[in-house]
Every structure is written in structure tokens, then in C-alpha cells.
DNA sequence: TGCTTGCCTGGAGTGCACTCCAGCGTTCTA
DNA sequence: TAGAACGCTGGAGTGCACTCCAGGCAAGCA
């Protein structure tokens, strides 16, 4: 593969921000489900469920069949967490995961999907800023009203 | 009650932004449920449900028992819409509605609630901006990868 | 050796925010 | 005056994103 970066096709998309501590170095990066739960804030239930619905790649297993997560899996979960914050439905994230699994030929599709998501996020931010303006108006109204009531009550 | 302003205790909080068109002037402001549905984008089902759970004040009725919404009700719905955008749970909005109905002595409590909500909104915006940064990184990565793939074919 | 802890599975259950339904009454238009 | 369109109610149903459960295996330790 040629696309530079220290990644592979499966998760060519791991750049979800700061290291978020407690990671083990690559090579000895195996985490149990409860460790990942602690690291991500998700429950073990949710992690298994994500896998079941195809939002996670198939996770490595120990010789006894227990899940062993890698740093790459954590990266993916970090991305999923970010996308979840945008309100993206799980089904759409699954779609994205499928594209990633499908390989290089889905690059442009992924690219489009990311750009759409970006637009959605911008729109959400704008909405929230509108709401903030309303809240600020109300808050200053209540501040004034509070003062009015206070001075009145000093009868 | 003493707080000035051209409002009453029930909805002392109507300042949800621009007039949002199609309003009838105060005094002849009676809308049927389907008009309100069209104006707000909510369904008639949802409007009845909002009333049932206490998120709306009791709506005026025609002599035959049909709902007749007022401009004040539209204002309230506009606020609810804004709060909904922030992800505030309906139960919390109901709580706020109860405070509004309860009268002047809940001013400070409402004030606090609004300030908390404001903080939540700021936090949401910050989260979204973090997500935006991640998306931008990925998008530019995909843009580069796309170029690389175009010039050379990978495995 | 037994006990506790952690993890496994498929499937059922939960909570939220609607959304729809049946069966009926009222209003509007032709 | 008929028929469509609109509205009413209580209660049931839906879709999403988890969340829990029962029953069982495997590893560590006392």
C-alpha cells in the first residue's frame, strides 16, 4: 500500500486527537473488554453490541475466546465517540465502518460521507449558537426581573 | 406580580428570535392544531403529546373542544424547539414549564436552570468543534490519499 | 477443591420521544 | 344534506440505542 501514514486500510482513519492516556505501546497493546470500557466510558455491553451490529471490526480473541482489543481498536472507538457526539445515527456509522472494511475503492465515498458529516456538524454548531443567543436573552431578562423583585420585596 | 414587561407569569419568557412569519396579529391569534403543526414543523400528534405530558400550558379550546393556539403558545413552542436542539431531555423541559406555571417565586430556580443549560450548550459546542477538527484532519487525509491513489494504484 | 471474578452468548427488556390507531364528533364545501 | 376533511381521546405501537439476564466456561487463589 502506498498511502503514507502509519496506518492500514482497515482503519486508515485513526487520528482522533490526543493519546487519551493509559495506552500501552504498540506491540503489547492488548486490552480486555473491561479495560476498554474503563478507557472509553462505554460499557462492556455496548462494546459487544457495537461489534454485533458491525460498528467494530472483528476483535481479536484470546485462546479462550475472550476479546483482546488493540490500540487501533481504541482509535476507532475514539472516532466513533466523536461521531456519536455529532448525533450521527449508529446506522450511518455502521455504513462508514463497512466502507472502511471494504477497502481502498471506497475512498471517495468515505470522503463524501465525511464532508457531509462536516456540514452537519457546522449546522449543529450554528443551531446551538442560535439557542445560546436565546438563552442569553432570557438569562439577562431573569437577572433584571430578579433585581426588580428583590427591590420590591424590601417593603 | 410586579415584574414589568408586557408578559405574564405563564410565559414571561417569550423571546425566541425572529417572528418566524405567518403569524396573525395579537388579538386575532387563534391557530388550529394543524396550523401550528405547519408553523412549527411538529406533528399534531406531538403537539397533543406535549400538552399531555405538561410541556405545554393548557391550550384554549373552541366551543366544540378543539384546540386554539395563541401567539404566546407559538412563542413557547419556539423556545421548546430551541431547547430541544440542545439535547435537553423533555423531562427537563417539563420541569422548566412547571416552574413557569408555578409563578414568580420560581424566578431564581428558572434562572439557575437556564444558566446550567447555557453551560451545557457551550460544552456541546466545544465538543462539536473538537469533532470538527477530527473531521477536518480526516478529510484532508482522504483528499491526499485520493490524490495518491489516483497517481499510483495500491494493493 | 471449591470459590470468586471476569468473560462469553443469544435473546429479552428498558427508556425516551414520539407515532399511530380506532372510534367517534364537528366543520366546511358543493 | 351529503361527504370529505379535520379534530378529539386513551391507549397501543415504533425505532433507536442501549442494557440486562440466564446459563455457562476459564483462570486465579486459599
Amino acid at each position: 500500500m502506498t498511502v503514507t501514514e502509519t496506518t492500514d486500510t482497515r482503519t486508515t482513519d485513526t487520528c482522533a486527537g490526543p493519546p487519551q492516556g493509559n495506552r500501552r505501546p504498540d506491540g503489547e497493546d492488548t486490552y480486555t473488554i473491561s479495560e476498554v470500557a474503563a478507557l472509553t466510558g462505554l460499557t462492556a455491553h455496548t462494546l459487544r453490541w457495537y461489534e454485533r451490529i458491525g460498528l467494530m471490526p472483528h476483535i481479536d480473541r484470546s485462546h479462550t475466546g475472550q476479546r483482546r482489543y488493540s490500540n487501533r481498536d481504541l482509535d476507532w472507538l475514539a472516532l466513533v465517540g466523536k461521531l456519536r457526539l455529532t448525533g450521527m445515527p449508529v446506522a450511518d456509522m455502521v455504513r462508514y465502518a463497512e466502507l472502511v472494511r471494504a477497502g481502498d475503492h471506497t475512498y471517495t465515498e468515505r470522503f463524501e460521507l465525511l464532508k457531509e458529516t462536516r456540514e452537519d456538524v457546522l449546522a449543529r454548531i450554528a443551531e446551538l449558537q442560535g439557542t445560546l443567543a436565546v438563552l442569553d436573552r432570557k438569562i439577562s431578562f431573569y437577572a433584571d426581573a430578579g433585581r426588580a423583585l428583590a427591590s420590591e420585596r424590601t417593603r
Side-chain angles (χ1 to χ4, degrees), chain A:
Chain A
M1 86 172 222
T2 37
V3 186
T4 54
E5 274 226 278
T6 61
T7 49
D8 76 15
T9 359
R10 186 147 128 273
T11 29
T12 316
D13 338 57
T14 58
C15 45
Q20 69 169 158
N22 308 59
R23 287 246 183 148
R24 294 202 256 281
D26 288 357
E28 52 202 79
D29 54 332
T30 59
Y31 309 83
T32 67
I33 198 165
S34 56
E35 285 168 336
V36 176
L39 249 39
T40 60
L42 299 167
T43 68
H45 293 302
T46 302
L47 288 167
R48 291 193 202 100
W49 179 67
Y50 276 4
E51 195 180 336
R52 199 150 61 181
I53 64 174
L55 184 51
M56 291 292 293
H58 288 298
I59 302 299
D60 287 348
R61 298 296 180 117
S62 72
H63 68 106
T64 55
Q66 300 193 183
R67 288 172 182 79
R68 293 293 177 252
Y69 291 81
S70 68
N71 281 339
R72 202 203 305 290
D73 297 324
L74 292 184
D75 289 336
W76 177 254
L77 282 169
L79 174 65
V80 166
K82 287 286 183 192
L83 293 179
R84 217 171 36 124
L85 287 179
T86 71
M88 182 188 274
V90 167
D92 289 6
M93 291 193 271
V94 170
R95 172 83 189 122
Y96 182 75
E98 282 164 357
L99 291 177
V100 172
R101 279 198 294 277
D104 279 0
H105 65 282
T106 64
Y107 263 54
T108 50
E109 206 170 336
R110 283 186 247 170
F111 184 51
E112 292 307 318
L113 210 150
L114 289 173
K115 279 196 298 187
E116 280 165 32
T117 305
R118 191 196 127 92
E119 292 309 306
D120 291 349
V121 173
L122 286 175
R124 293 276 303 120
I125 290 175
E127 280 175 356
L128 287 176
Q129 266 153 358
T131 304
L132 201 60
V134 171
L135 284 173
D136 283 342
R137 248 178 306 163
K138 280 191 158 326
I139 285 170
S140 69
F141 168 73
Y142 273 108
D144 295 350
R147 271 193 292 283
L149 285 170
S151 63
E152 171 95 10
R153 221 176 270 132
T154 13
R155 50 161 154 189

